Amino acid sequence: MTNYNVTILDIAPVYIGDYCMIGPNTLITTVGHPFSPKSRREKKAYSKPVTIGNDVWIGGNCTILPGVTIGNNVIVAAGAVVTKDVPDNCVVAGVPAKIIKNLKTN
């Protein structure tokens, strides 16, 4: 389930598991650009797939960057920028997102 203004920029696959909630103004992007100014002037880009597991809650105003895998039973706090893979059963928050709490499995 997604809320308002969710953007999925998907020139590579985006996999979203079952029972996920995605908050408003979230960006999930598979597209990135190189650090080199010359390459950016040449309009070069890259893409990497994004995978979101089951039972994930992504709060509002989050950004999920290319190549990230988010595990099962994860909460992404509002405003987080997910730059690296997130394991199962945890809460991540911040810029860049870091684990702030482990969750029990039910």
Side-chain angles (χ1 to χ4, degrees):
M1 166 175 42
T2 63
N3 211 310
Y4 292 96
N5 299 320
V6 170
T7 300
I8 302 174
L9 189 56
D10 61 345
I11 65 171
V14 173
Y15 303 97
I16 299 173
D18 295 328
Y19 311 106
C20 292
M21 298 186 302
I22 302 175
N25 302 312
T26 290
L27 168 64
I28 301 169
T29 182
T30 64
V31 182
H33 298 281
F35 288 123
S36 161
K38 181 179 184 284
S39 295
R40 289 193 309 270
R41 283 193 297 270
E42 293 170 356
K43 312 251 187 288
K44 291 185 177 177
Y46 64 86
S47 65
K48 295 179 183 177
V50 170
T51 301
I52 298 170
N54 297 321
D55 299 297
V56 173
W57 174 19
I58 299 174
N61 296 301
C62 289
T63 300
I64 313 299
L65 294 182
V68 166
T69 296
I70 297 174
N72 297 311
N73 187 34
V74 169
I75 298 171
V76 179
V81 177
V82 182
T83 62
K84 296 180 181 177
D85 290 353
V86 176
D88 294 346
N89 306 310
C90 65
V91 178
V92 296
V95 179
K98 295 182 181 181
I99 296 172
I100 62 168
K101 181 177 184 173
N102 290 309
L103 298 173
K104 294 179 182 179
T105 59
N106 293 359

